[in-house]
Amino acid sequence: MIRLKHVVEAQQFNKKMLKELFTIADNMEKILGKGGGDLLRSKILASLFYVPSNRTRFSFESAMIRLGGQVLSTDVAEAFSSELKGGSLEETIRTIGYYSDVIVLRHYESGSAKRAAKVSPVPIINGGDGTAQHPTQALIDLYTIERELGGVDGVVIAFVGDLANSRSVRSLCYFLAKHTGIKIYFVAPPMLNMREDMIQYLKRRQINLFEVGGLNPHLEDLAKKVDVFYVTQIPVESFGDRLDDYEKSKKNFVVDKKVLKKMKRNSILMHPLPRDGEINPEVDRDLRAVYYKQVYYGICIRMALLCSVFGKMP
Ligand code: CP
């Protein structure tokens, strides 16, 4: 059965591990349905967040508590950590490793989770490192596709938004590349396109890739072609002083009722959340809008990850 030492990047998973993890997540849903269990009784999770989070922090903490464990938590580590007095991330991790049995880390620097894993006496789970990866969000996303569409092979997916900086999209791309018959549309404003290293990675894996550029991607046309519409934020900071481009993107990269009307009946609309206007709440009640299902599946996946780290299976 799957046993994880650390969870730092999507590339560490193979298809067999994904299948096993998703089976455990299915079982976790049953435990959740009974109000929880005690598989991780006496274990302590430390959530060490240098950057704000609702979903990742609360869902890991909730998952740990549902499994009978306990939680130590800081959501503003950059303000209260002893690193302000001169310590390093490595020193913090070594120290908190004495107080806990697993650490979930969110940090502003790409590569920080790997750095932490190198020195940590306990498992490190990457809760998002800079613009590099967010592997647990991508596991949730992959599980959502599996659950909602019945499988991942052959899926046509459009990623829409700031693809240069979305760590969730990057991690999900690594997972999709392990599957067959995948077709990906990258849809981003100029300068926010998917980075070249990922484009080359996907091409080497024979993934069918299309890049849709410009400030008006005509989402209604695209909507007809895809099984999954995966939308992310377009933050103003990503545009620097190109505020005109930002205003046009904010207007044209929006999924609303008109776009949804063109989507296939059995397709899904996803978002890792939080959103900032790029999906109009008017579509929330449509059955194809599954972003709150992603939130729900997040608990099952994170319960499964914690059990896999401790080798405790239901
Ligand atoms: N999807 C996600 O990572 O959300 P948070 O930033 O709220 O954790």
Side-chain angles (χ1 to χ4, degrees):
M1 242 345 194
I2 183 171
R3 180 81 198 255
L4 300 166
K5 188 170 177 207
H6 302 285
V7 181
V8 292
E9 61 180 11
Q11 300 95 304
Q12 75 184 78
F13 290 85
N14 58 34
K15 265 184 115 170
K16 182 169 175 278
M17 292 162 81
L18 292 172
K19 193 164 183 271
E20 285 179 11
L21 188 76
F22 290 175
T23 302
I24 300 167
D26 292 343
N27 290 329
M28 290 299 148
E29 189 172 25
K30 293 178 195 132
I31 292 178
L32 202 54
K34 290 183 205 149
D38 64 355
L39 276 168
L40 300 188
R41 189 156 40 94
S42 84
K43 299 290 185 196
I44 297 175
L45 174 147
S47 51
L48 182 61
F49 280 61
Y50 290 75
V51 184
S53 162
N54 283 345
R55 279 144 290 270
T56 309
R57 186 167 72 95
F58 280 120
S59 63
F60 264 117
E61 293 181 2
S62 174
M64 192 61 171
I65 291 166
R66 295 280 189 205
L67 288 164
Q70 297 185 66
V71 169
L72 303 172
S73 180
T74 173
D75 60 344
V76 279
E78 79 282 16
F80 294 124
S81 166
S82 294
E83 286 162 51
L84 280 178
K85 295 184 279 181
S88 63
L89 173 67
E90 280 80 358
E91 195 169 81
T92 301
I93 294 292
R94 279 195 166 135
T95 303
I96 293 177
Y98 281 107
Y99 308 146
S100 62
D101 302 299
V102 58
I103 299 171
V104 180
L105 173 71
R106 173 170 288 186
H107 199 275
Y108 44 82
E109 269 178 26
S110 299
S112 52
K114 271 190 190 166
R115 270 173 59 202
K118 271 191 189 144
V119 298
S120 181
V122 298
I124 293 290
I125 299 181
N126 183 358
D129 62 327
T131 58
Q133 289 228 18
H134 196 350
T136 70
Q137 176 64 49
L139 285 168
I140 294 164
D141 299 337
L142 198 71
Y143 184 64
T144 303
I145 295 171
E146 184 94 34
R147 293 273 306 245
E148 296 300 313
L149 297 182
V152 180
D153 289 336
V155 155
V156 181
I157 181 165
F159 289 107
V160 181
D162 177 1
L163 305 185
N165 297 301
S166 173
R167 55 192 174 209
S168 301
V169 172
R170 282 181 71 81
S171 292
L172 184 51
C173 283
Y174 282 117
F175 286 134
L176 291 173
K178 297 177 192 305
H179 293 78
T180 55
I182 302 291
K183 191 190 259 193
I184 298 179
Y185 290 90
F186 285 137
V187 188
M191 315 297 283
L192 302 183
N193 295 319
M194 176 52 78
R195 282 177 258 159
E196 194 55 27
D197 67 315
M198 178 56 75
I199 303 275
Q200 292 309 324
Y201 178 87
L202 294 169
K203 282 187 177 165
R204 282 197 300 278
R205 274 150 190 80
Q206 269 92 47
I207 298 293
N208 226 336
L209 265 190
F210 299 89
E211 289 186 85
V212 181
L215 289 166
N216 187 355
H218 301 287
L219 296 185
E220 287 174 46
D221 295 338
L222 198 64
K224 298 173 198 162
K225 301 178 186 167
V226 301
D227 304 306
V228 180
F229 229 54
Y230 190 107
V231 182
T232 64
Q233 278 199 18
I234 302 188
V236 64
E237 311 85 65
S238 303
F239 286 81
D241 56 5
R242 296 173 299 121
L243 288 181
D244 274 2
D245 285 1
Y246 172 69
E247 293 303 336
K248 285 182 192 144
S249 303
K250 278 301 269 186
K251 191 158 80 58
N252 295 328
F253 284 71
V254 173
V255 175
D256 55 14
K257 269 188 176 164
K258 277 188 278 177
V259 176
L260 210 76
K261 208 169 160 193
K262 302 287 183 189
M263 281 177 65
K264 296 189 223 170
R265 253 162 39 113
N266 58 346
S267 59
I268 52 175
L269 174 62
M270 300 176 68
H271 195 302
L273 302 179
R275 62 183 150 165
D276 184 23
E278 59 278 359
I279 295 181
N280 191 320
E282 70 187 10
V283 308
D284 284 3
R285 294 173 82 88
D286 192 290
L287 290 178
R288 291 167 292 181
V290 298
Y291 22 92
Y292 287 109
K293 281 194 174 171
Q294 287 169 262
V295 172
Y296 166 69
Y297 293 143
I299 295 276
C300 307
I301 285 290
R302 285 172 172 145
M303 286 169 79
L305 282 168
L306 290 172
C307 284
S308 303
V309 152
F310 292 114
K312 300 268 187 192
M313 293 308 152

